[in-house]
Coordinates of all heavy atoms in Angstrom, one line a residue:
M6 N 13.8 50.0 0.5 CA 13.6 50.0 -1.0 C 12.2 49.5 -1.2 O 11.7 48.5 -0.6 CB 14.6 49.0 -1.6 CG 14.3 49.0 -3.1 SD 15.0 47.8 -4.2 CE 16.6 47.4 -3.9
T7 N 11.5 50.1 -2.1 CA 10.1 49.7 -2.4 C 10.2 48.8 -3.6 O 11.1 48.8 -4.4 CB 9.2 50.9 -2.7 OG1 9.8 51.6 -3.8 CG2 9.1 51.8 -1.5
S8 N 9.2 48.1 -3.8 CA 9.1 47.2 -5.0 C 7.8 47.5 -5.8 O 6.9 48.2 -5.3 CB 9.0 45.7 -4.5 OG 7.9 45.5 -3.7
T9 N 7.8 47.1 -7.0 CA 6.7 47.3 -7.8 C 5.6 46.3 -7.5 O 5.8 45.1 -7.5 CB 7.0 47.2 -9.3 OG1 8.1 48.1 -9.6 CG2 5.8 47.5 -10.2
V10 N 4.4 46.8 -7.2 CA 3.3 45.9 -6.8 C 2.4 45.9 -8.0 O 2.1 46.9 -8.6 CB 2.6 46.5 -5.6 CG1 1.3 45.7 -5.2 CG2 3.4 46.7 -4.4
P11 N 1.9 44.7 -8.3 CA 0.9 44.7 -9.4 C -0.2 45.7 -9.1 O -0.7 45.7 -8.0 CB 0.4 43.2 -9.4 CG 1.5 42.4 -8.8 CD 2.2 43.4 -7.8
A12 N -0.5 46.5 -10.1 CA -1.4 47.6 -9.9 C -2.8 47.0 -9.4 O -3.5 47.7 -8.7 CB -1.6 48.3 -11.2
E13 N -3.2 45.9 -9.8 CA -4.5 45.3 -9.4 C -4.6 45.2 -7.9 O -5.6 45.4 -7.3 CB -4.7 44.0 -10.1 CG -4.8 44.1 -11.6 CD -3.4 44.0 -12.3 OE1 -2.4 43.6 -11.6 OE2 -3.3 44.4 -13.4
F14 N -3.5 44.7 -7.2 CA -3.5 44.5 -5.8 C -3.8 45.8 -5.1 O -4.7 45.9 -4.3 CB -2.2 43.9 -5.3 CG -2.1 43.9 -3.8 CD1 -2.8 42.9 -3.1 CD2 -1.4 44.8 -3.1 CE1 -2.7 42.9 -1.7 CE2 -1.3 44.8 -1.7 CZ -2.0 43.8 -1.0
G15 N -3.0 46.9 -5.3 CA -3.2 48.1 -4.7 C -4.6 48.7 -5.0 O -5.3 49.2 -4.0
A16 N -5.0 48.7 -6.2 CA -6.3 49.2 -6.6 C -7.5 48.4 -5.9 O -8.4 49.0 -5.4 CB -6.5 49.2 -8.1
A17 N -7.4 47.1 -5.9 CA -8.4 46.3 -5.3 C -8.4 46.5 -3.7 O -9.5 46.6 -3.2 CB -8.1 44.8 -5.5
L18 N -7.3 46.7 -3.1 CA -7.2 46.9 -1.7 C -7.9 48.3 -1.4 O -8.7 48.4 -0.5 CB -5.8 46.8 -1.2 CG -5.6 47.1 0.3 CD1 -6.4 46.1 1.2 CD2 -4.1 47.0 0.7
R19 N -7.4 49.3 -2.1 CA -8.0 50.6 -1.9 C -9.5 50.6 -2.1 O -10.2 51.2 -1.3 CB -7.3 51.6 -2.9 CG -7.9 53.1 -2.7 CD -7.3 54.0 -3.8 NE -5.9 54.3 -3.4 CZ -5.5 55.1 -2.5 NH1 -6.5 55.8 -1.8 NH2 -4.3 55.4 -2.3
T20 N -10.0 50.0 -3.1 CA -11.4 50.0 -3.4 C -12.2 49.3 -2.2 O -13.2 49.8 -1.8 CB -11.7 49.3 -4.7 OG1 -11.1 50.0 -5.7 CG2 -13.2 49.3 -5.0
A21 N -11.6 48.2 -1.8 CA -12.3 47.4 -0.7 C -12.3 48.3 0.6 O -13.2 48.3 1.4 CB -11.6 46.1 -0.5
I22 N -11.2 48.9 0.9 CA -11.1 49.8 2.1 C -12.1 50.9 2.0 O -12.9 51.2 2.9 CB -9.7 50.3 2.3 CG1 -8.7 49.2 2.7 CG2 -9.7 51.5 3.3 CD1 -7.2 49.6 2.7
E23 N -12.2 51.6 0.8 CA -13.2 52.7 0.7 C -14.6 52.2 0.8 O -15.4 52.9 1.5 CB -13.0 53.3 -0.7 CG -11.7 54.2 -0.8 CD -11.4 54.6 -2.2 OE1 -12.2 54.3 -3.2 OE2 -10.4 55.4 -2.3
R24 N -14.9 51.0 0.3 CA -16.3 50.5 0.3 C -16.6 50.0 1.8 O -17.8 50.1 2.1 CB -16.4 49.3 -0.6 CG -16.5 49.7 -2.1 CD -16.7 48.6 -3.0 NE -16.8 49.1 -4.3 CZ -16.7 48.3 -5.4 NH1 -16.5 47.0 -5.3 NH2 -16.8 48.8 -6.6
S25 N -15.6 49.6 2.5 CA -15.9 49.2 3.9 C -16.2 50.3 4.8 O -17.0 50.1 5.9 CB -14.6 48.4 4.4 OG -13.6 49.4 4.8
G26 N -15.8 51.5 4.5 CA -16.0 52.7 5.4 C -15.1 52.7 6.6 O -15.2 53.5 7.5
L27 N -14.2 51.7 6.7 CA -13.3 51.6 7.8 C -12.1 52.5 7.6 O -11.5 52.6 6.5 CB -12.8 50.2 8.0 CG -13.9 49.2 8.4 CD1 -13.3 47.8 8.4 CD2 -14.5 49.5 9.7
S28 N -11.5 53.1 8.6 CA -10.2 53.9 8.5 C -9.1 52.9 8.6 O -9.3 51.8 9.1 CB -10.2 54.8 9.7 OG -10.0 54.1 10.9
L29 N -8.0 53.3 8.1 CA -6.8 52.5 8.2 C -6.5 52.2 9.7 O -6.0 51.1 10.0 CB -5.6 53.2 7.5 CG -5.7 53.4 6.0 CD1 -4.4 54.1 5.5 CD2 -5.9 52.0 5.4
N30 N -6.7 53.2 10.6 CA -6.5 53.0 12.0 C -7.4 51.8 12.5 O -6.9 50.9 13.2 CB -6.8 54.2 12.8 CG -6.4 54.2 14.2 OD1 -5.4 53.6 14.6 ND2 -7.3 54.7 15.1
E31 N -8.7 51.8 12.1 CA -9.5 50.7 12.5 C -9.1 49.4 11.9 O -9.2 48.4 12.6 CB -11.0 51.1 12.2 CG -12.0 50.0 12.5 CD -12.1 49.6 14.0 OE1 -11.7 50.4 14.9 OE2 -12.6 48.6 14.3
I32 N -8.8 49.4 10.7 CA -8.3 48.1 10.1 C -7.1 47.6 10.8 O -7.0 46.4 11.0 CB -8.0 48.3 8.6 CG1 -9.4 48.7 7.9 CG2 -7.4 47.1 7.9 CD1 -9.2 49.2 6.4
S33 N -6.1 48.5 11.1 CA -4.9 48.1 11.8 C -5.3 47.5 13.1 O -4.7 46.5 13.6 CB -4.0 49.3 11.9 OG -2.8 48.9 12.7
R34 N -6.2 48.1 13.8 CA -6.6 47.6 15.2 C -7.2 46.2 15.0 O -6.9 45.3 15.8 CB -7.7 48.6 15.8 CG -8.1 48.2 17.2 CD -9.3 49.0 17.7 NE -10.5 48.6 17.0 CZ -11.1 47.4 17.2 NH1 -10.7 46.5 18.0 NH2 -12.3 47.2 16.6
R35 N -8.1 46.0 14.0 CA -8.7 44.7 13.8 C -7.6 43.6 13.4 O -7.8 42.4 13.8 CB -9.8 44.8 12.7 CG -11.0 45.6 13.2 CD -12.1 45.6 12.2 NE -13.2 46.4 12.6 CZ -14.4 46.4 12.0 NH1 -14.6 45.6 11.0 NH2 -15.3 47.2 12.5
L36 N -6.7 44.0 12.7 CA -5.6 43.1 12.3 C -4.8 42.7 13.6 O -4.5 41.5 13.8 CB -4.7 43.7 11.3 CG -5.2 43.8 9.9 CD1 -4.3 44.6 9.0 CD2 -5.4 42.4 9.3
R37 N -4.5 43.7 14.5 CA -3.9 43.3 15.7 C -4.7 42.4 16.5 O -4.1 41.5 17.1 CB -3.6 44.6 16.5 CG -2.3 45.4 16.1 CD -2.0 46.5 17.1 NE -3.0 47.3 17.5 CZ -3.5 48.4 16.9 NH1 -2.9 48.8 15.8 NH2 -4.5 49.1 17.4
A38 N -6.0 42.6 16.6 CA -6.9 41.7 17.3 C -6.8 40.3 16.8 O -7.0 39.3 17.6 CB -8.3 42.2 17.3
R39 N -6.5 40.1 15.5 CA -6.4 38.8 14.9 C -5.0 38.3 15.0 O -4.7 37.3 14.3 CB -6.9 38.8 13.4 CG -8.3 39.1 13.3 CD -8.7 39.3 11.8 NE -10.1 39.4 11.6 CZ -10.8 38.5 11.0 NH1 -10.4 37.4 10.5 NH2 -12.2 38.8 10.9
E40 N -4.1 38.9 15.7 CA -2.7 38.6 15.8 C -1.9 38.6 14.5 O -1.0 37.8 14.3 CB -2.6 37.3 16.6 CG -3.1 37.4 18.0 CD -3.0 36.1 18.8 OE1 -2.3 35.1 18.3 OE2 -3.5 36.1 19.9
T41 N -2.4 39.5 13.7 CA -1.7 39.8 12.4 C -1.4 41.2 12.2 O -2.0 41.9 11.4 CB -2.4 39.2 11.2 OG1 -3.8 39.8 11.2 CG2 -2.5 37.7 11.2
P42 N -0.6 41.8 13.1 CA -0.4 43.3 13.2 C 0.2 43.8 11.9 O 1.1 43.3 11.3 CB 0.4 43.6 14.4 CG 1.2 42.3 14.5 CD 0.3 41.2 14.1
V43 N -0.4 45.0 11.4 CA 0.2 45.7 10.3 C 0.0 47.2 10.7 O -1.1 47.6 11.1 CB -0.6 45.4 9.0 CG1 -0.1 46.3 7.8 CG2 -0.4 43.9 8.6
S44 N 1.1 48.0 10.5 CA 1.0 49.4 10.8 C 0.1 50.1 9.8 O -0.2 49.6 8.7 CB 2.3 50.0 10.8 OG 2.9 50.0 9.5
I45 N -0.4 51.2 10.2 CA -1.2 52.1 9.3 C -0.4 52.5 8.1 O -0.9 52.5 7.0 CB -1.7 53.3 10.1 CG1 -2.6 52.9 11.2 CG2 -2.4 54.4 9.2 CD1 -2.9 54.0 12.2
S46 N 0.9 52.8 8.3 CA 1.7 53.3 7.2 C 1.9 52.1 6.2 O 1.9 52.3 5.0 CB 3.1 53.8 7.6 OG 3.8 52.9 8.4
A47 N 2.1 50.9 6.7 CA 2.2 49.7 5.7 C 0.9 49.6 4.9 O 1.0 49.3 3.7 CB 2.6 48.5 6.5
L48 N -0.2 49.7 5.6 CA -1.5 49.5 4.9 C -1.6 50.6 3.8 O -2.0 50.4 2.6 CB -2.6 49.7 5.8 CG -2.9 48.5 6.8 CD1 -3.9 48.9 7.8 CD2 -3.3 47.3 6.0
S49 N -1.1 51.9 4.1 CA -1.2 52.9 3.1 C -0.2 52.6 2.0 O -0.6 52.8 0.8 CB -0.7 54.2 3.8 OG -0.7 55.3 2.9
Y50 N 1.0 52.1 2.3 CA 2.0 51.8 1.2 C 1.3 50.7 0.3 O 1.5 50.7 -0.9 CB 3.3 51.3 1.7 CG 4.1 52.4 2.4 CD1 4.9 52.1 3.5 CD2 4.2 53.7 1.9 CE1 5.7 53.1 4.1 CE2 4.9 54.7 2.5 CZ 5.6 54.3 3.6 OH 6.4 55.3 4.2
W51 N 0.7 49.7 0.9 CA 0.2 48.6 0.1 C -0.9 49.1 -0.9 O -0.9 48.8 -2.0 CB -0.4 47.5 1.0 CG 0.6 46.8 1.8 CD1 1.9 46.9 1.8 CD2 0.2 45.8 2.8 NE1 2.5 46.0 2.7 CE2 1.5 45.3 3.3 CE3 -0.9 45.3 3.3 CZ2 1.6 44.4 4.3 CZ3 -0.9 44.3 4.3 CH2 0.4 43.9 4.8
Q52 N -1.9 50.0 -0.3 CA -3.0 50.4 -1.2 C -2.5 51.4 -2.2 O -3.2 51.6 -3.2 CB -4.1 50.9 -0.3 CG -3.9 52.3 0.3 CD -5.1 52.8 1.0 OE1 -6.2 52.3 0.8 NE2 -4.9 53.9 1.7
N53 N -1.4 52.1 -2.0 CA -0.9 53.0 -3.0 C 0.1 52.4 -3.9 O 0.6 53.1 -4.8 CB -0.2 54.2 -2.2 CG -1.3 55.1 -1.5 OD1 -2.4 55.2 -2.0 ND2 -0.9 55.6 -0.4
G54 N 0.4 51.1 -3.8 CA 1.3 50.5 -4.7 C 2.8 50.8 -4.4 O 3.6 50.6 -5.3
E55 N 3.1 51.4 -3.2 CA 4.5 51.8 -3.0 C 5.3 50.7 -2.4 O 6.5 50.7 -2.4 CB 4.5 52.9 -2.0 CG 3.9 54.2 -2.6 CD 3.8 55.3 -1.6 OE1 4.7 55.4 -0.7 OE2 2.8 56.1 -1.6
N56 N 4.6 49.6 -1.9 CA 5.3 48.4 -1.3 C 4.3 47.3 -1.4 O 3.2 47.5 -1.7 CB 5.6 48.7 0.2 CG 6.8 48.0 0.6 OD1 7.1 46.9 0.1 ND2 7.5 48.5 1.6
R57 N 4.8 46.1 -1.2 CA 4.0 44.9 -1.3 C 4.2 44.0 -0.1 O 5.3 43.9 0.4 CB 4.2 44.2 -2.5 CG 5.6 43.6 -2.7 CD 5.8 42.9 -4.0 NE 5.2 41.6 -3.9 CZ 4.9 40.7 -5.0 NH1 5.3 41.2 -6.1 NH2 4.3 39.6 -4.9
P58 N 3.2 43.3 0.4 CA 3.4 42.4 1.5 C 4.2 41.1 0.9 O 3.7 40.6 -0.1 CB 2.0 42.0 1.9 CG 1.1 42.4 0.7 CD 1.8 43.5 0.0
E59 N 5.2 40.7 1.6 CA 6.0 39.6 1.1 C 6.3 38.6 2.2 O 6.4 37.4 2.0 CB 7.3 40.0 0.4 CG 7.0 40.6 -0.9 CD 8.3 40.9 -1.7 OE1 9.3 41.1 -1.1 OE2 8.2 40.8 -2.9
R60 N 6.5 39.1 3.4 CA 6.8 38.2 4.6 C 5.7 37.3 4.9 O 4.5 37.7 4.6 CB 7.3 39.1 5.8 CG 8.5 39.9 5.6 CD 8.8 40.6 6.9 NE 10.0 41.3 6.8 CZ 10.4 42.3 7.6 NH1 9.6 42.6 8.6 NH2 11.5 42.9 7.4
A61 N 6.0 36.2 5.5 CA 4.9 35.3 5.8 C 3.8 36.0 6.7 O 2.7 35.8 6.6 CB 5.5 34.1 6.5
S62 N 4.3 36.8 7.7 CA 3.4 37.5 8.6 C 2.5 38.5 7.8 O 1.3 38.7 8.1 CB 4.1 38.2 9.7 OG 5.0 39.1 9.2
S63 N 3.1 39.1 6.8 CA 2.4 40.1 6.0 C 1.3 39.4 5.1 O 0.2 39.9 5.0 CB 3.3 40.9 5.2 OG 4.1 41.7 5.9
L64 N 1.7 38.3 4.6 CA 0.8 37.5 3.8 C -0.4 37.0 4.6 O -1.5 36.9 4.1 CB 1.5 36.3 3.1 CG 2.6 36.8 2.0 CD1 3.3 35.6 1.5 CD2 1.9 37.6 0.9
A65 N -0.1 36.6 5.8 CA -1.2 36.2 6.8 C -2.2 37.4 7.0 O -3.3 37.2 7.1 CB -0.6 35.7 8.0
A66 N -1.5 38.6 7.1 CA -2.4 39.8 7.4 C -3.3 40.0 6.1 O -4.4 40.5 6.3 CB -1.5 41.0 7.7
V67 N -2.7 39.8 4.9 CA -3.5 40.0 3.7 C -4.7 39.1 3.7 O -5.8 39.5 3.4 CB -2.7 39.9 2.5 CG1 -3.5 39.9 1.2 CG2 -1.6 40.9 2.4
T68 N -4.5 37.9 4.2 CA -5.6 36.9 4.3 C -6.6 37.4 5.3 O -7.9 37.3 5.0 CB -5.1 35.5 4.7 OG1 -4.2 35.0 3.7 CG2 -6.2 34.5 4.8
A69 N -6.2 37.9 6.4 CA -7.1 38.5 7.4 C -7.8 39.7 6.8 O -9.0 39.9 7.1 CB -6.3 38.9 8.7
L70 N -7.1 40.5 6.0 CA -7.7 41.7 5.4 C -8.9 41.3 4.5 O -10.0 42.0 4.5 CB -6.7 42.5 4.6 CG -5.9 43.5 5.2 CD1 -4.8 44.0 4.2 CD2 -6.7 44.7 5.7
E71 N -8.8 40.2 3.8 CA -9.9 39.7 3.0 C -11.1 39.5 3.8 O -12.2 39.9 3.4 CB -9.5 38.5 2.3 CG -8.4 38.7 1.2 CD -7.7 37.4 0.7 OE1 -7.8 36.4 1.3 OE2 -7.1 37.5 -0.3
A72 N -10.9 38.9 5.0 CA -12.1 38.7 5.9 C -12.6 40.0 6.5 O -13.8 40.2 6.5 CB -11.7 37.7 7.0
I73 N -11.7 40.8 7.0 CA -12.1 42.1 7.6 C -12.9 42.9 6.6 O -13.9 43.6 7.0 CB -10.9 42.8 8.2 CG1 -10.3 42.0 9.3 CG2 -11.2 44.2 8.5 CD1 -9.0 42.5 9.8
L74 N -12.5 43.0 5.4 CA -13.1 43.8 4.4 C -14.2 43.1 3.6 O -14.7 43.7 2.6 CB -12.0 44.3 3.4 CG -10.9 45.2 4.1 CD1 -9.8 45.6 3.1 CD2 -11.5 46.5 4.7
G75 N -14.6 41.9 4.0 CA -15.7 41.2 3.4 C -15.4 40.7 2.0 O -16.3 40.6 1.1
Q76 N -14.2 40.4 1.7 CA -13.8 39.9 0.4 C -13.7 38.4 0.4 O -13.5 37.7 1.5 CB -12.4 40.4 0.0 CG -12.4 41.9 -0.1 CD -13.3 42.5 -1.1 OE1 -13.3 42.2 -2.2 NE2 -14.2 43.4 -0.6
R77 N -13.9 37.7 -0.7 CA -13.8 36.3 -0.9 C -12.3 35.9 -0.6 O -11.4 36.7 -0.9 CB -14.2 35.8 -2.2 CG -15.7 35.9 -2.4 CD -16.1 35.2 -3.7 NE -15.2 35.5 -4.9 CZ -15.5 36.3 -5.9 NH1 -16.7 36.8 -5.9 NH2 -14.7 36.5 -6.9
P78 N -12.1 34.7 -0.2 CA -10.7 34.2 0.0 C -9.9 34.4 -1.3 O -10.5 34.1 -2.4 CB -10.8 32.8 0.4 CG -12.2 32.7 1.1 CD -13.0 33.7 0.3
E79 N -8.7 34.8 -1.2 CA -7.7 34.9 -2.3 C -8.0 36.1 -3.2 O -7.4 36.2 -4.3 CB -7.6 33.6 -3.1 CG -7.0 32.5 -2.2 CD -6.7 31.3 -3.0 OE1 -6.5 31.3 -4.3 OE2 -6.6 30.2 -2.4
T80 N -8.9 37.0 -2.8 CA -9.2 38.2 -3.6 C -8.0 39.0 -3.7 O -7.7 39.5 -4.8 CB -10.3 39.0 -2.9 OG1 -11.5 38.2 -2.9 CG2 -10.6 40.3 -3.7
F81 N -7.3 39.2 -2.6 CA -6.1 40.0 -2.6 C -4.8 39.2 -2.9 O -3.9 39.5 -3.6 CB -5.9 40.8 -1.4 CG -7.0 41.8 -1.0 CD1 -7.5 41.9 0.2 CD2 -7.6 42.6 -2.0 CE1 -8.5 42.7 0.6 CE2 -8.7 43.4 -1.8 CZ -9.1 43.5 -0.4
T82 N -4.8 38.1 -2.2 CA -3.6 37.2 -2.3 C -3.3 36.7 -3.7 O -2.2 36.6 -4.1 CB -3.6 36.0 -1.3 OG1 -4.8 35.3 -1.5 CG2 -3.5 36.5 0.1
G83 N -4.4 36.5 -4.4 CA -4.3 36.1 -5.8 C -3.8 37.1 -6.7 O -3.4 36.9 -7.9
L84 N -3.8 38.4 -6.3 CA -3.3 39.5 -7.1 C -1.9 39.9 -6.9 O -1.3 40.7 -7.6 CB -4.2 40.7 -6.8 CG -5.6 40.6 -7.2 CD1 -6.4 41.9 -6.8 CD2 -5.8 40.4 -8.7
L85 N -1.2 39.2 -5.9 CA 0.1 39.6 -5.5 C 1.2 39.1 -6.4 O 2.2 39.7 -6.6 CB 0.5 39.2 -4.1 CG -0.2 40.0 -3.0 CD1 0.1 39.4 -1.6 CD2 0.4 41.4 -3.0
G86 N 1.0 38.0 -7.1 CA 2.0 37.5 -8.0 C 3.1 36.8 -7.1 O 3.0 36.7 -5.9
P87 N 4.1 36.4 -7.8 CA 5.2 35.6 -7.1 C 6.0 36.6 -6.2 O 6.1 37.8 -6.5 CB 6.0 35.1 -8.2 CG 5.8 35.9 -9.4 CD 4.4 36.4 -9.2
R88 N 6.7 36.0 -5.2 CA 7.5 36.8 -4.4 C 8.8 37.1 -5.1 O 9.3 36.4 -6.0 CB 7.9 36.0 -3.1 CG 6.7 35.8 -2.2 CD 7.1 35.0 -1.0 NE 8.0 35.7 -0.2 CZ 8.7 35.3 0.9 NH1 8.4 34.1 1.3 NH2 9.5 36.0 1.5
R89 N 9.4 38.2 -4.7 CA 10.7 38.6 -5.3 C 11.8 37.7 -4.7 O 11.7 37.2 -3.6 CB 11.1 40.1 -4.9 CG 10.2 41.1 -5.5 CD 10.7 42.5 -5.0 NE 10.7 42.6 -3.6 CZ 11.3 43.5 -2.9 NH1 12.1 44.4 -3.5 NH2 11.4 43.5 -1.6
P90 N 12.8 37.4 -5.6 CA 13.9 36.6 -5.1 C 14.6 37.3 -3.9 O 14.7 38.5 -4.0 CB 14.8 36.4 -6.3 CG 14.1 37.1 -7.4 CD 12.9 37.8 -6.9
R91 N 15.1 36.5 -3.0 CA 15.8 37.1 -1.8 C 17.3 36.6 -1.8 O 17.5 35.5 -2.3 CB 15.2 36.8 -0.6 CG 13.8 37.3 -0.4 CD 13.9 38.8 -0.1 NE 12.6 39.3 0.2 CZ 12.3 40.6 0.2 NH1 13.2 41.5 -0.1 NH2 11.2 41.0 0.5
G92 N 18.1 37.3 -1.1 CA 19.5 36.8 -1.0 C 20.4 37.1 -2.1 O 20.0 37.7 -3.1
K93 N 21.6 36.6 -2.0 CA 22.6 36.8 -3.1 C 22.2 35.9 -4.3 O 21.8 34.8 -4.1 CB 24.0 36.4 -2.6 CG 24.5 37.4 -1.6 CD 25.9 37.0 -1.2 CE 26.4 38.0 -0.2 NZ 27.8 37.7 0.2
V94 N 22.5 36.4 -5.4 CA 22.3 35.6 -6.6 C 23.6 34.9 -6.9 O 24.7 35.6 -7.0 CB 21.9 36.5 -7.9 CG1 21.8 35.7 -9.1 CG2 20.6 37.2 -7.5
H95 N 23.6 33.6 -7.1 CA 24.8 32.8 -7.3 C 24.8 32.5 -8.8 O 23.9 31.9 -9.3 CB 24.8 31.6 -6.5 CG 24.8 31.8 -5.1 ND1 26.0 32.2 -4.4 CD2 23.9 31.8 -4.1 CE1 25.7 32.3 -3.1 NE2 24.5 32.1 -2.9
H96 N 25.8 33.0 -9.4 CA 26.0 32.7 -10.9 C 27.0 31.6 -11.0 O 28.0 31.5 -10.4 CB 26.5 33.9 -11.6 CG 25.6 35.1 -11.6 ND1 24.5 35.2 -12.3 CD2 25.6 36.2 -10.8 CE1 23.8 36.3 -12.1 NE2 24.5 37.0 -11.1
R97 N 26.7 30.7 -11.9 CA 27.5 29.6 -12.2 C 28.7 30.1 -13.1 O 28.4 30.9 -14.1 CB 26.9 28.5 -13.0 CG 25.9 27.7 -12.2 CD 25.4 26.6 -13.0 NE 24.8 25.5 -12.2 CZ 24.1 24.5 -12.6 NH1 24.0 24.4 -14.0 NH2 23.7 23.6 -11.9
S98 N 29.9 29.8 -12.7 CA 31.0 30.2 -13.6 C 31.2 29.0 -14.6 O 31.1 27.9 -14.3 CB 32.2 30.5 -12.8 OG 32.6 29.3 -12.0
V99 N 31.4 29.4 -15.8 CA 31.6 28.4 -16.9 C 33.0 28.5 -17.2 O 33.6 29.5 -17.6 CB 30.7 28.8 -18.1 CG1 30.9 27.8 -19.3 CG2 29.2 28.8 -17.7
A100 N 33.7 27.3 -17.2 CA 35.1 27.2 -17.6 C 35.2 27.1 -19.1 O 34.4 26.3 -19.8 CB 35.7 25.9 -17.0
Y101 N 36.1 27.8 -19.7 CA 36.2 27.7 -21.2 C 37.5 27.0 -21.5 O 38.5 27.1 -21.0 CB 36.3 29.1 -21.7 CG 35.0 29.8 -21.7 CD1 34.7 30.7 -20.7 CD2 34.0 29.6 -22.7 CE1 33.4 31.4 -20.7 CE2 32.8 30.2 -22.7 CZ 32.5 31.1 -21.7 OH 31.3 31.6 -21.6

């Protein structure tokens, strides 16, 4: 299931990738070298707004992306917004 990504994150990532002149393959290789691997397809999903990084390892990769693409710290991470809730939702039952 995909989630809605704030439009600014995908657009900012896409713009930075285009300006860097690096291919998604090269970016993925550099992320692996920093021990924050991300697949080419995941990078594509992120920049197209089809999915968002949420796992701790993915968030670490976004921080690495900022450095790889020559962005200031929190350029991308600041655009992600809060994480989606995980797990079952527990509703309180109210006795009448």
Side-chain angles (χ1 to χ4, degrees):
M6 178 193 320
T7 60
S8 62
T9 304
V10 179
E13 298 84 16
F14 171 76
L18 180 58
R19 176 182 290 281
T20 299
I22 289 171
E23 289 172 355
R24 287 184 180 162
S25 75
L27 297 172
S28 68
L29 294 182
N30 188 42
E31 177 61 19
I32 293 168
S33 180
R34 187 192 68 73
R35 291 183 185 196
L36 287 168
R37 277 192 313 275
R39 291 174 178 249
E40 298 183 4
T41 55
V43 175
S44 70
I45 295 166
S46 59
L48 290 169
S49 179
Y50 290 144
W51 292 354
Q52 73 173 351
N53 291 324
E55 296 174 35
N56 208 336
R57 65 181 284 166
E59 289 189 328
R60 293 181 179 165
S62 60
S63 296
L64 296 175
V67 172
T68 300
L70 271 172
E71 292 167 341
I73 290 168
L74 298 174
Q76 302 296 305
R77 289 191 315 255
E79 298 188 21
T80 298
F81 302 138
T82 54
L84 296 174
L85 284 173
R88 292 179 65 185
R89 292 181 304 159
R91 297 286 188 196
K93 293 182 179 181
V94 177
H95 297 283
H96 297 283
R97 288 184 163 171
S98 57
V99 178
Y101 288 100

